[in-house]
Amino acid sequence: MKHRFTIRAGISAALLASPLMVSAQQPTDNVEEIDTVTIIGSQADVADVPGSAHIVNSEELAEFAQSDILRVLRSVPGVYVQEEEGFGLRPNIGIRGSGLDRSARIALLEDGVLIAPAPYAASSAYYFPTQRRMSAVEVLKGPASVAIGPRTTGGAMNLISTPIPDEMSANADLRVGDHSTLDAHVNIGDRGDRFAWMLETVQARSDGFKTIAGPVGGDTGYDVKDYVAKLQFDSAPGSAVYQSLRVKLGYTDQLSNETYVGLTDTDFAANPYSRYAASANDNFQSEHEQYQATYVLDTDSLWRLEATAYRNNFQRNWYKVQSVGGEGINDVLVDPATYAAEYGYLTGVTSPDDAIQIRANNREYYSQGVQAKVEWDLGFGETDVLLNTGVRLHEDEEDRFQHQDGYRVDSGELVLTTAAAGGSQTNRVSDAQVTSLFVDSEIRAGDWIFTPGVRFENIELTRYDYATSDPGRAAEPTRVRTNTAQVVIPGAGALYRLNDEWRLLAGVHKGFNPPGPGSNADEESSVNFEAGMRYAGESLRFESIFFYNDYDNLVGTVTDSTGGGGQVGDQFDGGEVVVRGLEMSSDYSFGFGSFAVPVGLQYTWTTEAEFKNAFDSGFDPWGDVQVGDELPYIPEHQLRATAGIEGERVRLSLAASYIGKMRTRADQGAYVEQETIDSHIVWDAIATWQFTDSLSSYIKVDNLFDETYVAARRPAGVRPGLPRSAYVGLTFRL
């Protein structure tokens, strides 16, 4: 059964799948039962998207067999990433200067459903879907991202999970490697005339690549268990009306022995992969539950309905060092001479009782809602018009119930000296109630394609602060703060087909990020422009797009991972900012005897990312801002180059990723060493052998030349990138 719609980029607010009408008279017994929701659909569809759109498809994901989403996204221009623990478990992703802390400033989705723990009330992505079970990654920037919302300043990323197979099949990818890494990805499924199913799991663990100083030691790795089940029930073949019910259930359990404590520059130079003794107890534990049901109705008439109900539950507790000797960790590591006693406690020198404060950052989240869309084909004469209307009714919540324990360091070991009661450090709830409406259209007239659209968001945010002496919340909140946002977000894109290969495109849209619950900051708003050209030939693809984001107000949010000033959740106005640059990407493949040789290049040149006003900010990453200060964590140059050679049974692939020098705090002029990340190049390589049609093996090496580099300087101290790591894998396709 083949569906009479294909997928394109003008997505409705509901499910973000906006199919193009291919033939209005094609019968419904040609419906293809697709259980995943895509934004763009396929590489072929990208050519006619009136905006910047990129797909990392299943073939590209398989090429380097990456389990780290940050390495995957190096191939997408205009995307900025910051490593943290080296494995991509809690990635920091930004688009076109949007800011990248905890990926909180982009629209993050899995199969078309918002997937951040609480997308409106607390969007920081402490949960991120397991990359190993994704079949593709889609990134939208520019006006096409308006349809997704609510965060349109940068754009959107949709992770497409493994689809139910077309026939009975089982697949397994097993690998072992450095740092005692064991990783298994297995799925099995089948599709019949009316019923389809799939079961999938990822089981991954590692001891980590850092060493904890002191007598206790311990591993610094992770243990991830991820399970997904999909069911699909379809109407009988040949039915006058096609109906389908798709159910998706997921559960993820993660334990990672990770800390926010970095190193001093001196200690990093001596041993970049060490960790201080005081961080021995730091660990992150989480559970995520996913429930999703989608109903599809399609008839021979010119409309189609799709509706989804969803619920995501997420609980996490990050037990980690918060302060030492009453001082902030970052202050100690930036100036260990002034804070010599506190630095000594971190490294294992015996301390007084309660010198080490370890906070249990215990939080629970839920996100739930119903989203629906209707698509109409309203062609008039030679003009094809596809109209999409959608609605999303959504609510989410973050519940912070945190305490902070005191420890003594005794000859390098941590000894509990004060056990605090639950909720005694933070006891508050933040929630959001949202109604979103969306209308967009795709108009095809001759060689022109236009995609005007508008989105409306009505957001009600509330924060309830409870007394830290009232863990049972028996009394009323000590303070209740409510704020609302009602915003209209317009956008429009245009594309002109010069011929079968060349396209010109341009677009403009409003950038928006909602405020946090109880925030006194203004809404983040901007006007964003883009213009460029695209070439899509038989063996060569090329794209060049200029972007210009003009902020009326940039907003900074305090999180534990920014390390910056005030209470977690506080927001600061940054005023006028301009971010502009050039994105370029190209892919070319040629033959060499019996071998194919694919090469690729992706480049981002951020020509400007600066404040246009002066102010004194309480937000630490900005500080005392002067006109012309550059935004932190935005390098001027990013480049990724790939090359491979493919034969009938063997494939070799090599990738080089270059990240230019960047600031870690807003500034201009000469770079300050302790507020700078130097440029670096990281090479990855993989060799694959296909023994039979069903069995293959590979050897992959990340950071092939063992480049030692600073990945981040926040929230506290210097953090290293992943050292050279080699893996051997075996893949079955049955």
Side-chain angles (χ1 to χ4, degrees):
M1 298 172 73
K2 300 238 189 234
H3 203 285
R4 55 187 173 84
F5 291 91
T6 60
I7 306 296
R8 58 118 174 154
I11 316 91
S12 84
L15 285 178
L16 313 180
S18 183
L20 288 176
M21 187 70 69
V22 176
S23 171
Q25 302 304 317
Q26 195 168 345
T28 56
D29 60 356
N30 286 332
V31 176
E32 182 181 359
E33 301 96 341
I34 300 174
D35 64 282
T36 56
V37 176
T38 71
I39 294 176
I40 304 164
S42 69
Q43 289 285 10
D45 297 324
V46 171
D48 284 336
V49 172
S52 181
H54 296 267
I55 300 175
V56 185
N57 60 29
S58 57
E59 291 79 10
E60 293 169 313
L61 290 176
E63 182 179 3
F64 284 92
Q66 290 293 3
S67 58
D68 183 347
I69 184 63
L70 299 183
R71 279 181 143 76
V72 171
L73 292 175
R74 296 288 190 197
S75 65
V76 182
V79 174
Y80 309 85
V81 301
Q82 177 204 324
E83 297 178 57
E84 185 166 314
E85 83 296 316
F87 301 109
L89 298 177
R90 283 167 294 280
N92 300 284
I93 304 166
I95 298 175
R96 289 183 173 174
S98 65
L100 42 68
D101 181 50
R102 282 287 171 264
S103 309
R105 301 170 66 80
I106 63 174
L108 181 64
L109 309 105
E110 180 179 333
D111 294 334
V113 173
L114 294 171
I115 199 64
Y120 288 82
S123 59
S124 295
Y126 289 95
Y127 167 76
F128 197 90
T130 305
Q131 171 57 37
R132 285 275 274 165
R133 62 176 180 82
M134 298 302 152
S135 65
V137 178
E138 302 176 312
V139 179
L140 252 71
K141 299 160 281 184
S145 64
V146 169
I148 301 166
R151 304 177 185 279
T152 61
T153 299
M157 183 170 69
N158 184 37
L159 302 162
I160 304 172
S161 65
T162 304
I164 298 175
D166 293 332
E167 58 186 6
M168 181 65 191
S169 66
N171 305 285
D173 185 350
L174 314 175
R175 72 174 64 155
V176 297
D178 284 334
H179 326 304
S180 300
T181 297
L182 299 172
D183 194 329
H185 175 210
V186 180
N187 59 61
I188 182 171
D190 191 15
R191 185 181 296 278
D193 288 338
R194 300 190 60 183
F195 176 65
W197 62 275
M198 187 192 72
L199 300 175
E200 183 173 35
T201 186
V202 174
Q203 304 285 317
R205 67 166 308 279
S206 172
D207 285 347
F209 57 88
K210 299 175 187 175
T211 301
I212 301 176
V216 176
D219 74 70
T220 59
Y222 60 87
D223 191 343
V224 175
K225 299 177 175 63
D226 195 334
Y227 307 90
V228 171
K230 291 185 177 184
L231 304 173
Q232 183 166 326
F233 306 89
D234 296 311
S235 53
S239 299
V241 176
Y242 170 71
Q243 299 182 75
S244 180
L245 176 64
R246 295 101 184 257
V247 177
K248 177 182 175 185
L249 306 173
Y251 174 80
T252 305
D253 178 272
Q254 181 190 132
L255 169 66
S256 54
N257 296 313
E258 191 50 62
T259 182
Y260 273 3
V261 180
L263 299 171
T264 67
D265 284 272
T266 300
D267 290 337
F268 182 88
N271 182 0
Y273 307 119
S274 65
R275 256 178 56 178
Y276 298 132
S279 72
N281 287 2
D282 288 16
N283 69 85
F284 178 94
Q285 299 182 54
S286 70
E287 292 186 5
H288 184 267
E289 299 171 351
Q290 184 180 43
Y291 308 92
Q292 187 174 319
T294 298
Y295 172 72
V296 177
L297 174 65
D298 195 2
T299 72
D300 280 332
S301 60
L302 304 182
W303 63 276
R304 180 179 189 264
L305 166 69
E306 194 165 327
T308 294
Y310 58 89
R311 167 88 182 200
N312 292 290
N313 299 323
F314 180 57
Q315 187 277 329
R316 61 92 156 180
N317 190 2
W318 199 335
Y319 197 63
K320 56 183 174 59
V321 176
Q322 189 70 21
S323 65
V324 52
E327 304 294 340
I329 304 168
N330 190 61
D331 293 337
V332 174
L333 297 181
V334 167
D335 191 1
T338 298
Y339 300 101
E342 291 80 8
Y343 171 74
Y345 303 155
L346 277 178
T347 58
V349 176
T350 298
S351 74
D353 289 356
D354 295 345
I356 305 297
Q357 291 291 309
I358 302 183
R359 181 173 298 177
N361 286 267
N362 182 40
R363 307 176 194 175
E364 293 187 11
Y365 307 79
Y366 78 79
S367 171
Q368 66 182 18
V370 177
Q371 53 189 36
K373 66 169 182 171
V374 181
E375 302 165 342
W376 288 276
D377 180 10
L378 304 175
F380 302 98
E382 298 298 320
T383 301
D384 294 327
V385 179
L386 180 65
L387 180 67
N388 298 311
T389 60
V391 59
R392 179 192 290 140
L393 305 177
H394 173 93
E395 64 180 57
D396 58 50
E397 179 184 278
E398 178 199 44
D399 187 335
R400 292 174 178 256
F401 193 72
Q402 304 176 173
H403 68 274
Q404 193 160 289
D405 296 331
Y407 284 80
R408 178 182 75 249
V409 182
D410 192 343
S411 300
E413 296 188 45
L414 289 169
V415 178
L416 180 66
T417 50
T418 299
S424 58
Q425 194 275 328
T426 302
N427 187 8
R428 78 179 195 224
V429 176
S430 300
D431 65 33
Q433 305 285 330
V434 182
T435 300
S436 299
L437 304 172
F438 183 80
V439 178
D440 96 319
S441 61
E442 181 180 89
I443 304 168
R444 290 177 174 249
D447 292 321
W448 286 96
I449 303 175
F450 301 97
T451 54
V454 63
R455 179 183 194 83
F456 172 74
E457 293 269 352
N458 181 36
I459 306 168
E460 298 180 5
L461 301 159
T462 307
R463 173 171 156 176
Y464 304 89
D465 293 325
Y466 293 89
T468 54
S469 58
D470 181 20
R473 297 174 181 168
E476 293 295 316
T478 58
R479 181 171 60 171
V480 177
R481 288 183 281 176
T482 301
N483 52 320
T484 62
Q486 291 183 336
V487 61
V488 176
I489 308 173
L495 179 141
Y496 180 70
R497 297 170 57 98
L498 291 171
N499 52 42
D500 289 343
E501 290 82 24
W502 285 98
R503 280 87 166 160
L504 301 178
L505 60 94
V508 59
H509 77 283
K510 177 181 174 65
F512 170 77
N513 269 317
S519 174
N520 294 318
D522 294 332
E523 299 168 3
E524 181 173 283
S525 61
S526 62
V527 179
N528 302 344
F529 306 88
E530 68 175 11
M533 64 180 65
R534 184 179 291 142
Y535 176 86
E538 184 175 345
S539 58
L540 172 66
R541 289 184 298 132
F542 171 80
E543 180 180 271
S544 177
I545 295 180
F546 170 79
F547 66 91
Y548 186 97
N549 291 2
D550 187 1
Y551 288 83
D552 294 322
N553 185 47
L554 177 70
V555 176
T557 303
V558 175
T559 66
D560 282 333
S561 53
T562 62
Q567 297 294 316
V568 171
D570 288 352
Q571 293 190 313
F572 296 86
D573 292 323
E576 298 178 6
V577 171
V578 167
V579 181
R580 62 179 174 179
L582 181 68
E583 302 168 354
M584 300 178 65
S585 61
S586 63
D587 296 283
Y588 179 63
S589 182
F590 62 92
F592 180 74
S594 60
F595 293 93
V597 182
V599 295
L601 182 69
Q602 298 85 34
Y603 173 60
T604 304
W605 179 20
T606 308
T607 60
E608 183 179 11
E610 298 178 356
F611 287 95
K612 296 302 178 182
N613 48 209
F615 59 97
D616 187 6
S617 172
F619 186 50
D620 186 65
W622 296 346
D624 185 8
V625 173
Q626 304 299 316
V627 174
D629 278 359
E630 299 170 358
L631 295 177
Y633 284 96
I634 298 182
E636 181 178 359
H637 301 286
Q638 290 187 158
L639 183 145
R640 184 176 187 265
T642 58
I645 183 166
E646 301 176 359
E648 183 178 358
R649 293 292 183 183
V650 65
R651 184 184 72 218
L652 303 174
S653 298
L654 185 67
S657 297
Y658 169 81
I659 306 298
K661 179 182 288 190
M662 70 185 94
R663 303 182 189 275
T664 61
R665 202 166 190 262
D667 203 353
Q668 58 185 296
Y671 285 83
V672 178
E673 181 181 357
Q674 289 188 322
E675 296 177 357
T676 301
I677 294 178
D678 288 329
S679 61
H680 51 273
I681 302 176
V682 176
W683 296 76
D684 296 334
I686 187 169
T688 302
W689 292 266
Q690 190 77 40
F691 299 116
T692 68
D693 291 342
S694 301
L695 178 65
S696 63
S697 181
Y698 59 86
I699 297 175
K700 71 186 299 287
V701 183
D702 293 334
N703 196 354
L704 179 65
F705 298 112
D706 202 19
E707 175 79 3
T708 300
Y709 62 97
V710 175
R713 288 182 175 271
R714 66 179 185 189
V718 184
R719 307 173 72 87
L722 181 74
R724 180 167 54 213
S725 301
Y727 311 91
V728 177
L730 196 63
T731 303
F732 302 90
R733 299 281 186 261
L734 304 178

